[in-house]
Amino acid sequence: MNFQTHGREKNSHAVSTCTKGRFSLKINGFSINQIKPNMIRDKILEPFYLLGINKKIPIKIKIYVKGGGQVSRIYAIRQALSKSLIYYFKKYSNLIYQFQIKYKFLIFDKSLLFDSHKYKEPKKFGGKGARSRFQKSYR
């Protein structure tokens, strides 16, 4: 059992790789217990708190995150984590339970399942940036 899920928020991308085994959660090679402050760790572990399971499922999760700032990395991590939990329960549990989990996540926070739409607008021709234009002269 190997599967990958991903989460995105602004410029940060998180990819989680899940394998069967004893429970462990590593982010960029560091254990979840090494992440400080505790507020950030609790924000990352929100999908587990919502489900009411505290490290009981036999799954190893490795998350690799890059880009963006600290807060957007956290949101990308929790999105990848919640998607991998949904996929795990879809594969190894009944379908009704998987829909219940999805519903819990959607009621709590929509960003647990869906990507953010906040991206930088691309530059266009005729100016320095996305919206600015070169000054026009009539003489």
Side-chain angles (χ1 to χ4, degrees):
M1 169 200 100
N2 283 344
F3 56 88
Q4 282 188 336
T5 56
H6 73 279
R8 288 175 54 183
E9 175 74 25
K10 284 186 163 180
N11 285 333
S12 52
H13 304 277
V15 178
S16 73
T17 307
C18 304
T19 56
K20 201 150 182 132
R22 232 175 106 202
F23 180 81
S24 72
L25 178 60
K26 292 197 173 193
I27 299 168
N28 285 349
F30 294 101
S31 175
I32 190 70
N33 298 326
Q34 293 176 330
I35 294 177
K36 300 287 182 195
N38 293 339
M39 194 179 229
I40 290 175
R41 185 185 324 145
D42 290 342
K43 194 72 176 168
I44 291 171
L45 291 175
E46 266 180 0
F48 287 108
Y49 298 150
L50 283 173
L51 297 181
I53 48 177
N54 194 7
K55 303 174 184 174
K56 293 177 187 172
I57 54 175
I59 188 171
K60 273 186 188 174
I61 303 173
K62 292 180 185 174
I63 300 176
Y64 176 70
V65 118
K66 66 175 183 177
Q70 189 176 14
V71 175
S72 67
R73 279 181 176 219
I74 293 166
Y75 278 91
I77 289 168
R78 67 197 282 259
Q79 189 181 101
L81 187 62
S82 61
K83 283 182 179 179
S84 61
L85 285 174
I86 285 176
Y87 193 79
Y88 173 80
F89 284 112
K90 177 182 174 184
K91 207 167 185 177
Y92 295 101
S93 185
N94 58 1
L95 203 60
I96 296 168
Y97 190 59
Q98 182 232 346
F99 283 121
Q100 288 174 348
I101 292 170
K102 256 190 188 176
Y103 187 68
K104 275 185 188 178
F105 286 163
L106 281 175
I107 286 178
F108 181 73
D109 190 3
K110 190 180 169 184
S111 70
L112 282 172
L113 296 179
F114 298 111
D115 292 347
S116 172
H117 60 277
K118 303 177 211 162
Y119 295 110
K120 185 181 175 216
E121 191 175 348
K123 181 195 175 302
K124 282 107 181 171
F125 60 89
K128 283 185 175 181
R131 302 278 173 110
S132 67
R133 297 286 153 248
F134 294 128
Q135 192 171 359
K136 194 171 181 182
S137 171
Y138 288 106
R139 293 181 195 216

